[in-house]
Amino acid sequence: MSFDPERLAQPAIRRLRAYDPGHDLPRLRTRFGAVLAELGSNENALGPSPAALEAAHAALSETYRYPDPRCGALREALAQQHGVTPDQLVFGNGSHELLMQLAQIFAGADAAVMHAQFGFAVFPIAAAAAGAPAVCVPALPRTHPTAPLGHDLDAMADALREDVRLIYLANPNNPTGTWFTHAALEAFLQRVPRDTLVVVDEAYGEYMQAPGLDTAIALLDAHPNLIVTRSFSKAYALAGLRIGYLLAHASVAAVFERLRESFNINQVAQAAARAVLDDAAYLQSAIDINAAERARMERTLSERGFATLPSQTNFLLLDLGEDAQVLEQRLFDQAVIVRPMGGYGLPHTLRVSVGSRAENDRFLETL
């Protein structure tokens, strides 16, 4: 018999399909050069805070040492910022790692995972990797007035069953950009049993501005089964340093720490993240620029007859009403990279990041 490593893998891993990161952007940067408009990965085109860059550069001289395994300085700063205790925080190599590990810890063959249709792609991957049954609840209809294709929290509560151990939500949601209100989340949590963990992924949380939309962090004290994940990759523009964190009841965080790798956050990432927290002017600028450019793109697309979903993120979901693959390829041929959403079950849509003004103009002109 020939060597077959797949046969040696655990059954859950054999059934798994890897996360699709999209186009090979390093290769495309070489191919297209400065003309490339990278609007497929929801990055902050403003670039990192000067304070973060300075701190990262200074930290390079200490890279021969192991990093602080507790992320002590960053932990204290985040605890103060969010009004939690330091032992309520856990750090990850991006929030992606944390979302995957939550399923490893709390889900399994007899402990199901619930998520919404058109939710973040990592949710079903995390369930599959843990060998857990997945309960996918249909999204709100496309005709919904405020959250088309968004989470249907009432339907998710109605679909709860005894074996559901973990529920993944995203607010605002990737890839739709839609959101649910703070009041709606409170009502949902009231219907969830205390032994069922609810994870609210707020990777785009800094961009929240809509009335009634607020972070779930304020609900942690009242709901010990609530977990909130956050990221430095989006509004803080540190995607290349891979750093995220979760906030939870201290007892939940303590269980998580048993699995977390001791030195999973490198020295440079810790320094940059700690520095950017003090640069409030940078963060506000990033939020304001994103909101203005997103509104301009929405307005221009609407004037041309294109439909976009409402968004509280740094991207728009463009709904073409027909297969979007041809348009995506034509944009690609002109060095404009957007993200087709066929893998999410949305083949009629394209996700377009809000980039720099020059990149957004390139997209609109090429379109």
Side-chain angles (χ1 to χ4, degrees), residues 154-170:
D154 288 335
M156 295 183 79
D158 290 341
L160 279 170
R161 59 194 204 197
E162 287 188 4
D163 67 331
V164 172
R165 183 73 54 76
L166 192 63
I167 302 172
Y168 284 117
L169 308 173

Side-chain angles (χ1 to χ4, degrees), residues 226-300:
L226 176 62
I227 300 168
V228 182
T229 57
R230 285 255 172 162
S231 177
F232 283 93
S233 295
K234 304 304 179 184
Y236 286 114
L238 298 180
L241 291 181
R242 308 306 304 129
I243 179 166
Y245 59 99
L246 66 75
L247 305 102
H249 191 272
S251 61
V252 174
V255 174
F256 198 109
E257 285 289 353
R258 300 175 191 176
L259 180 67
R260 185 185 66 83
E261 295 179 13
S262 299
F263 302 103
N264 63 333
I265 309 300
N266 69 73
Q267 196 101 313
V268 177
Q270 290 188 41
R274 175 63 191 89
V276 78
L277 287 179
D278 288 336
D279 195 348
Y282 166 82
L283 179 61
Q284 192 60 54
S285 178
I287 293 168
D288 291 345
I289 291 171
N290 176 77
E293 281 298 293
R294 186 182 65 214
R296 184 174 73 94
M297 292 173 72
E298 285 178 310
R299 184 171 59 252
T300 304

Side-chain angles (χ1 to χ4, degrees), residues 1-8:
M1 182 182 295
S2 62
F3 177 65
D4 182 7
E6 183 165 338
R7 181 175 56 85
L8 304 177

Side-chain angles (χ1 to χ4, degrees), residues 85-117:
T85 57
D87 59 358
Q88 290 184 260
L89 287 154
V90 180
F91 294 89
N93 189 241
S95 55
H96 185 147
E97 179 185 55
L98 297 169
L99 294 168
M100 292 291 294
Q101 289 179 336
L102 282 166
Q104 286 182 265
I105 298 167
F106 295 110
D110 59 350
V113 171
M114 177 181 284
H115 61 87
Q117 182 188 24

Side-chain angles (χ1 to χ4, degrees), residues 82 256 327:
H82 292 305
F256 198 109
L327 178 57

